[in-house]
Amino acid sequence: MTYDAIVVGSGITGGWAAKELTEKGLKTLVLEAGRPIVPEQDYVEHVPPWEVKFRGLRDRRLQREDQPIQSLCYACDEWSSKFFVSDKEHPYTTDEGKPFWYLRGRQVGGRSIIWGRQSYRWSDLDFEANLRDGIAIDWPIRYADLAPWYDYVEDFAGISGEALGLPQLPDSKFLPPMELNCAEKVVRDAIAKHFGGERVLTIGRAAVLTKDHQGRAACHYCGPCERGCITRSYFSSLNSTLPAAEKTGRMTMRPFSVVHSLSFDARTRRVSGVRVIDAKTRASVEFRSKVVFLCASALESVRILLNSSTTEFPNGLSNSSGELGHNLMDHIKGGGAVGTIPGNEDRMVLGRRPNGTYVPRFRNVKKKDAAFLRGYGFQGGGQREGWQRGVAQTGFGPEFKKLVSQPGPWRFTFYGYGECLPNHANYIELDKEKVDARGIPVLKVHCAWRENELALRDDMAISASEMLAAAGAHNIEPLRGFEPPGSSIHEMGTARMGRDAKNSVLNAFNQAHDVKNLFLTDGGAMVSSSCVNPSLTYMALTARACDYAVQQLKKGEL
Ligand SMILES: Cc1cc2nc3c(=O)[nH]c(=O)nc-3n(C[C@H](O)[C@H](O)[C@H](O)COP(=O)(O)OP(=O)(O)OC[C@H]3O[C@@H](n4cnc5c(N)ncnc54)[C@H](O)[C@@H]3O)c2cc1C
Ligand code: SF4
């Protein structure tokens, strides 16, 4: 059967591509490697610890054997580990001494079920960064190209947050912000007083509804969003874009469809088929369409292209530039600080707000004011220590019971997320020896933090400690840990956009320079990494690319 469009993957970007293409009239097949998800059965956000087998402490033996990498992620717990891949079935390799955490979801909805929902626009500080610093290549677009598409995706997704009017972090079209708690207000006010407006603390900008929106209900603050959300209060493709695509009657969702590779017709210079291994029957099937959107995530989409070599493209389809797989980036973290905020001992929080605080980038914003390039922002927040702190304390009997039955002091933590520079030497390739459970060559990841990223991380510890000191915090502990590439789960850059086919894989509309009916709109397209979470930008790029592809189809150009 022939379709107008094929979308590979149904996570954040695949969901958007499915919605946009079907709403614009295209008969669209969505090929998703993982299983279907039925919210009424699979979502577990309201299941209490006493109803799960290991009371929330996980089956540690199983996790060690089946998910040794995935379980490194805070969100991969006894409830939501089912939304992460099996490392046994989906291995990858790295260089000795150069770890990379590859954290993935493989089901309808992809990682949109488990993501942290932090949603920030990028600015021209980001889009002009490579040009300004003479690093890698220039972005082929600027903020003005994407601004209407940010508006567009935000209108549908629903982003709550506070407008600040900062040039380095443009405001979104916001739903009302969530409230800061009392400790966060102490820290916010101290930062405003001591840093001359240069540093600002605000509530996180999150794809979580603070009022009913687009037929979805406002969040009721139950807390563990990575387990699903039956009221559809946060944005995920399952909660939002896929139902919209379904409603058009033009989407065919095909779960258990592992895309192996693409076939290329050298005569028409187009993708002529998408080869699939059925994950249940192991049969090989091929599908055809006028246009193909790769939305399988930055590494998996490129894996498909690397696995689609032809005589003309021996190192991966659409790789005439030699950049396919290269310039892999993530955000550096591990830097920050934690401290005790005195006072407010008579106050507690009500509910479990699924959001934290944010300090937008303040280094190298108006002028170059640090020894390193680029900058970082801080996520984090304040909370009262609970009874668990007693676990670390010695004692027994009535005194101990009394101690642990009272809440502890307010603590505040800053976690930095820093920009990673694009570097040709950070790359992925197909492993020549190892295959996954379906017999497809796995990825070999070569990636390491370099001097600039580590300098950012060290500076995070200093500036976060300064802000805690300004807020009168006690027991300030600077954080300067090593967290390997991949651990921020913002992998990107492996099929970058650019103006010139000689040094980039995609053009300014996410269309492959070498193969006109092929689009790739996930994180692979990014040319630099900014320091803010990337998924909102992937959404905007995807919606924009779909609009362009449909126009081109109508003109008969594809
Ligand atoms: C715990 C966690 C917290 C996060 N927090 C944030 C955050 O706060 N803000 C933010 O911006 N980002 C966050 N992220 C990152 C965010 O989830 C990703 O950037 C986003 O999901 C990427 O979208 P995608 O469509 O490219 O990939 P995914 O959402 O991963 O979807 C890819 C889909 O493709 C499918 N697929 C893969 N290979 C194939 C194949 N060969 N054939 C068919 N289908 C295939 C997969 O099964 C999957 O469903 C977080 C991620 C995690 C795990
Ligand atoms: S906290 Fe809000 S968004 Fe998260 S699962 Fe609960 S209701 Fe949904």
Side-chain angles (χ1 to χ4, degrees), residues 33-92:
R35 70 190 186 288
I37 296 293
V38 181
E40 292 71 19
Q41 290 159 20
D42 291 305
Y43 286 177
V44 282
E45 76 276 21
H46 294 150
V47 175
W50 54 90
E51 282 181 17
V52 290
K53 188 164 176 202
F54 294 90
R55 304 291 183 260
L57 294 174
R58 317 166 161 185
D59 182 345
R60 277 162 283 179
R61 193 174 57 188
L62 186 72
Q63 290 217 333
R64 230 180 5 253
E65 285 165 9
D66 195 48
Q67 293 184 310
I69 302 292
Q70 308 308 307
S71 56
L72 296 167
C73 174
Y74 70 93
C76 183
D77 61 15
E78 190 170 344
W79 289 262
S80 51
S81 55
K82 63 181 180 181
F83 297 133
F84 286 78
V85 297
S86 151
D87 290 312
K88 237 186 190 162
E89 284 193 28
H90 304 287
Y92 62 100

Side-chain angles (χ1 to χ4, degrees), residues 45-46 208 218-225 228-229 231 233-234 352 354:
E45 76 276 21
H46 294 150
V208 179
C219 168
H220 53 270
Y221 281 36
C222 68
C225 309
C229 181
T231 52
S233 307
Y234 73 83
R352 299 189 197 131

Side-chain angles (χ1 to χ4, degrees), residues 90-149:
H90 304 287
Y92 62 100
T93 57
T94 54
D95 292 322
E96 187 69 33
K98 285 191 185 170
F100 181 91
W101 293 2
Y102 189 17
L103 301 166
R104 285 157 289 166
R106 199 168 247 244
Q107 58 265 322
V108 174
R111 285 180 294 187
S112 74
I113 305 174
I114 47 179
W115 75 310
R117 309 158 307 280
Q118 292 294 300
S119 300
Y120 302 91
R121 291 189 180 199
W122 291 27
S123 70
D124 274 337
L125 188 66
D126 305 309
F127 292 112
E128 291 171 2
N130 283 357
L131 181 67
R132 192 181 316 113
D133 298 334
I135 287 189
I137 59 166
D138 187 18
W139 276 88
I141 56 169
R142 289 293 182 263
Y143 180 67
D145 297 304
L146 217 49
W149 294 102

Side-chain angles (χ1 to χ4, degrees), residues 8-15 31-34 73-75 84 103-112 114-119 226 257-260 295-298 300-301 303-304 379 440 488-491 521-523 533-536 538:
V8 180
S10 64
I12 289 189
T13 59
L31 295 170
E32 166 53 54
C73 174
Y74 70 93
F84 286 78
L103 301 166
R104 285 157 289 166
R106 199 168 247 244
Q107 58 265 322
V108 174
R111 285 180 294 187
S112 74
I114 47 179
W115 75 310
R117 309 158 307 280
Q118 292 294 300
S119 300
E226 62 277 3
S257 301
V258 182
V259 173
H260 172 278
C295 297
S297 80
E300 295 303 321
S301 288
R303 184 176 170 207
I304 292 168
Q379 297 184 24
I440 304 175
S488 287
I489 330 178
H490 296 158
E491 69 282 356
T521 69
D522 54 39
N533 307 56
S535 305
L536 184 69
Y538 303 166

Side-chain angles (χ1 to χ4, degrees), residues 19 92 172 230 266 312 357:
K19 171 182 173 312
Y92 62 100
S172 292
I230 204 69
E312 181 182 343
T357 59

